[in-house]
Amino acid sequence: MNTFGRRSNTWSARTNRVLDLHRPLGSTALFRSTRYSFVANHSRITRIQRGLGEKAAKHSSDIYSSPDTQGTDKIASGGASSTRSSTPPDSPGFLSISAEFRSAPAMGELGALQSIVYHRGSLRLLDQRKLPLEVDYIDVKCSRDGWNAIRDMVVRGAPAIAIAAALALAVEVSGLEDFTGTPAEAAAFVSEKLEYLVSSRPTAVNLSDAATKLRSLVSRTAETEKDAKAIFQAYIDAAETMLVDDVSDNKAIGSHGAEFLKQKLEVSKDISVLTHCNTGSLATAGYGTALGVIRALHSGGILEKAFCTETRPFNQGSRLTAFELVHDKVPATLIADSAAAALMKSGCIQAVIVGADRIAANGDTANKIGTYNLAISAKHHGVQFYVAAPITSIDLSLPSGEQIVIEERSPNELLNSEGGLGKQVAASGISVWNPAFDVTPANLITAIITEKGVITKSDADETFNIKDFIQSAKLRSILYLREDRRVLLE
């Protein structure tokens, strides 16, 4: 049966629902990118916002504030067609209707490095190809810059890709002061740009899911608005909401996952886990998915050690995950990809936790190449295997993983060091097969951890019923929202 996290598991859950009513609104709709969409009564929402009071303002300020973060001036050639910047990101402040939108800290922790630095009209992305040796920010001024940054792996990770794409277009439309078209033409402009952005990385469903919802939003808005600028404003508000929501969703994933592992493994401390690729703050807007579970285990005092693979050929594990674990002072050990089976045989880990770029309706999961290997080894050695991802990574339109399109990347990533950026390391003339992802069958997955709770298999046939889980989660969210409105209006 499906397991939902208790409503009282995290203090932030209720506060985030309050914040949902206090975020920038489009003219006719409040866009909920990671949960659901609904038409909002603007005047009623405004009355609710006025009743939030100082306590809610203080809570939200605590969540979305952090000190300035320095970036070093180490600029290299290549990459996205945009300019570089090492200017320190400004400190994010309290998000309100009256104030200009300011981003949540990308790592979700005080003093942490920000991978996505956004203010209305400005977007900078941390060039993750340079980590861990260089901290280099790239200015993204339009959708073309965003497409290049995503395709060239400046930004990667399914949630971060979706957010970066949406914000890149938000920056572009914020500068269209001289746009003279109709609302319908504005909506068509946005839709065309979103379709273009989706082509940058086709496997990650979060990007196409966000694009679909954003296209729907601007289309609905164009039906009622008479000014094209209102279309752009509604889009900008929605894209900004995606950024804030991702951090709170990831923390919920971490909380649900840590509690579930603790119960499933029947231990109260000394849990060691293995993770693959990078699923942390650098792959999301902050905190992380699979790495968010590890962070929650560590903060709860029950993590003995985290192991991370190097994740060839782009080395997201050794360059990025190891970087985050060291930064957070989490006890961790790096292993070669080929050492994973030996590690499991040694009995040093109890679970494997990975992220997902796309999850089919039956639970088959596309993730970074090498994930399938880990799942097979885990099954053989009796090690539990978990997928941690937001609901937006689930694609109910695909009955199984057989329909997932797998991206193949440049042969240079295997032929040259540093993920294709360094010197040649392979024999000239050798052919290359370089899929970016593989698909892990659902029968190898213990459970799927989401921001709405943990999806488990039915006792009868050991299969996931993901569709029912999502429907129940949507209903529960609507009921919670109605209750919060009732409380605030009283």
Side-chain angles (χ1 to χ4, degrees):
M1 69 186 279
N2 295 333
T3 303
F4 289 93
R6 295 180 181 175
R7 190 179 179 193
S8 59
N9 273 352
T10 57
W11 166 86
S12 62
R14 183 177 180 86
T15 303
N16 285 327
R17 288 196 298 275
V18 172
L19 285 174
D20 288 342
L21 305 178
H22 197 57
R23 291 179 177 137
L25 296 174
S27 300
T28 60
L30 173 60
F31 178 76
R32 303 293 295 113
S33 61
T34 56
R35 298 177 179 87
Y36 53 91
S37 302
F38 62 94
V39 176
N41 182 313
H42 192 285
S43 61
R44 187 181 182 205
I45 294 295
T46 303
R47 291 197 301 272
I48 295 172
Q49 290 162 352
R50 294 193 187 111
L52 287 171
E54 295 180 359
K55 185 175 181 180
K58 182 181 184 300
H59 286 172
S60 56
S61 180
D62 291 341
I63 294 173
Y64 298 119
S65 298
S66 75
D68 290 349
T69 307
Q70 297 288 335
T72 58
D73 189 11
K74 297 181 179 180
I75 301 175
S77 62
S81 59
S82 53
T83 57
R84 304 299 202 283
S85 172
S86 58
T87 306
D90 292 334
S91 172
F94 173 52
L95 174 65
S96 69
I97 295 298
S98 59
E100 179 181 1
F101 178 88
R102 310 193 68 160
S103 69
M107 275 195 170
E109 302 293 339
L110 296 180
L113 186 66
Q114 293 175 285
S115 60
I116 298 175
V117 182
Y118 174 81
H119 297 273
R120 183 161 291 183
S122 171
L123 173 64
R124 284 178 291 156
L125 300 176
L126 177 63
D127 189 344
Q128 297 186 30
R129 302 167 303 178
K130 309 289 183 62
L131 292 174
L133 301 180
E134 297 182 21
V135 178
D136 180 18
Y137 285 91
I138 290 179
D139 289 325
V140 174
K141 299 179 179 179
C142 62
S143 55
R144 180 180 293 275
D145 287 348
W147 192 98
N148 287 328
I150 294 168
R151 185 65 184 176
D152 294 344
M153 302 282 278
V154 170
V155 60
R156 21 73 47 211
I161 287 171
I163 293 166
L167 293 178
L169 182 52
V171 170
E172 181 172 349
V173 300
S174 69
L176 297 179
E177 296 293 337
D178 56 350
F179 187 86
T180 58
T182 65
E185 290 170 337
F189 174 87
V190 170
S191 295
E192 182 178 346
K193 293 289 186 178
L194 287 169
E195 184 177 355
Y196 165 69
L197 285 162
V198 168
S199 69
S200 60
R201 296 294 300 275
T203 301
V205 70
N206 305 62
L207 177 53
S208 59
D209 177 78
T212 298
K213 291 176 179 176
L214 289 165
R215 279 196 296 263
S216 177
L217 172 72
V218 296
S219 177
R220 293 196 311 269
T221 306
E223 293 175 358
T224 57
E225 293 293 340
K226 298 180 179 180
D227 184 357
K229 292 182 180 179
I231 311 302
F232 295 146
Q233 186 60 53
Y235 174 84
I236 292 170
D237 291 343
E240 291 172 350
T241 301
M242 286 178 60
L243 177 62
V244 177
D245 284 346
D246 192 62
V247 178
S248 58
D249 286 346
N250 291 343
K251 289 189 174 182
I253 289 172
S255 177
H256 291 313
E259 182 63 27
F260 188 83
L261 260 70
K262 181 178 177 181
Q263 295 176 2
K264 187 76 172 178
L265 296 171
E266 298 181 345
V267 294
S268 58
K269 61 178 182 178
D270 299 335
I271 297 175
S272 290
V273 300
L274 170 67
T275 191
H276 186 57
C277 198
N278 175 256
T279 57
S281 297
L282 297 173
T284 63
Y287 202 72
T289 54
L291 201 55
V293 177
I294 292 174
R295 282 190 164 101
L297 289 169
H298 176 60
S299 63
I302 58 178
L303 179 73
E304 181 177 5
K305 182 173 286 189
F307 292 86
C308 60
T309 61
E310 56 184 340
T311 321
R312 287 189 45 78
F314 217 74
N315 296 318
Q316 293 98 324
S318 58
R319 292 189 303 105
L320 307 179
T321 299
F323 176 79
E324 291 196 46
L325 292 169
V326 169
H327 179 277
D328 285 6
K329 297 181 173 59
V330 176
T333 297
L334 173 68
I335 67 168
D337 291 354
S338 53
L343 177 69
M344 294 180 197
K345 184 179 179 180
S346 72
C348 291
I349 63 169
Q350 292 75 52
V352 178
I353 310 174
V354 300
D357 286 84
R358 190 180 294 251
I359 302 172
N362 69 339
D364 292 351
T365 297
N367 193 51
K368 183 55 57 184
I369 191 73
T371 303
Y372 184 26
N373 302 33
L374 294 177
I376 292 173
S377 293
K379 187 75 170 181
H380 178 75
H381 293 98
V383 174
Q384 295 179 17
F385 188 92
Y386 294 93
V387 171
I391 292 292
T392 50
S393 293
I394 298 172
D395 187 350
L396 293 178
S397 71
L398 302 181
S400 74
E402 294 293 327
Q403 292 78 37
I404 297 177
V405 177
I406 299 299
E407 171 192 353
E408 291 192 24
R409 294 191 57 80
S410 169
N412 291 335
E413 293 181 356
L414 290 180
L415 297 174
N416 297 71
S417 64
E418 301 178 23
L421 301 176
K423 66 180 181 180
Q424 181 176 329
V425 294
S428 298
I430 188 68
S431 61
V432 171
W433 180 51
N434 185 25
F437 308 94
D438 54 29
V439 176
T440 299
N443 68 309
L444 299 179
I445 300 171
T446 305
I448 301 170
I449 305 164
T450 78
E451 74 275 20
K452 298 298 185 182
V454 180
I455 308 175
T456 58
K457 294 178 178 178
S458 64
D459 296 332
D461 54 7
E462 286 291 304
T463 59
F464 292 113
N465 191 342
I466 297 178
K467 184 176 181 180
D468 284 355
F469 177 90
I470 292 178
Q471 291 299 323
S472 298
K474 286 182 178 179
L475 177 60
R476 183 170 294 208
S477 294
I478 292 171
L479 292 175
Y480 286 171
L481 181 62
R482 287 176 178 173
E483 180 181 342
D484 285 332
R485 283 176 171 173
R486 180 184 58 79
V487 171
L488 290 169
L489 287 170
E490 287 178 350

